[in-house]
């Protein structure tokens, strides 16, 4: 084997190299976010290049806050500002919790 030859990793080894669990790596593969090599119908392998490509994709992804809402929206159009709702006292909080978690009849 030459130094330039790509050594494929199993799904467990690739997950360990990425610092994620094997089920998470499988979810990423099924979602099309990472593109492994397939050897036959069941054997899935990853190379350093595939893992590096995925890492680069993660670095270039927009922040979640950038992908929510409308691009043309100026901001909040209604409601109160965050943090302006007065906190509940212990009794009111207890009643609200009992009402919220009460068994459905």
């Amino acid at each position: 084997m030459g130094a330039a030859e790509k050594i494929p990793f199993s799904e467990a080894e690739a997950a360990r190299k990425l610092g994620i669990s094997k089920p998470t790596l499988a979810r990423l593969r099924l979602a099309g976010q990472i593109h492994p090599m397939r050897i036959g119908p069941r054997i899935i392998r990853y190379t350093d290049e595939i893992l590096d490509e995925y890492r680069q994709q993660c670095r270039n992804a927009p922040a979640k806050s950038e992908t929510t809402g409308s691009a043309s929206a100026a901001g909040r159009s209604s409601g109160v500002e965050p943090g302006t709702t007065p906190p509940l006292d212990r009794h009111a909080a207890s009643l609200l919790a009992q009402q919220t978690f009460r068994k459905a009849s």
Side-chain angles (χ1 to χ4, degrees):
M1 269 193 215
E5 199 168 326
K6 300 173 188 173
I7 302 172
F9 307 111
S10 68
E11 202 157 32
E13 291 170 310
R16 186 178 44 78
K17 284 182 172 282
L18 288 173
I20 59 177
S21 68
K22 189 176 167 184
T24 299
L25 183 58
R27 281 192 299 272
L28 292 171
R29 176 176 44 82
L30 293 172
Q33 295 177 343
I34 191 166
H35 308 286
M37 299 177 355
R38 285 194 174 268
I39 304 169
R42 293 178 145 203
I43 301 172
I44 298 168
R45 294 290 184 252
Y46 298 84
T47 61
D48 281 325
E49 289 79 16
I50 293 170
L51 300 181
D52 290 340
E53 178 184 325
Y54 172 72
R55 287 184 191 109
Q56 189 64 33
Q57 176 186 334
C58 289
R59 284 189 198 106
N60 294 335
K64 286 185 179 181
S65 61
E66 294 175 16
T67 61
T68 58
S70 171
S72 62
R76 296 177 61 96
S77 60
S78 63
V80 297
E81 290 298 316
T84 59
T85 306
L88 298 174
D89 63 357
R90 290 179 67 187
H91 181 69
S94 175
L95 290 175
L96 179 61
Q98 289 173 12
Q99 181 183 14
T100 302
F101 297 112
R102 178 180 49 217
K103 287 185 179 179
S105 47

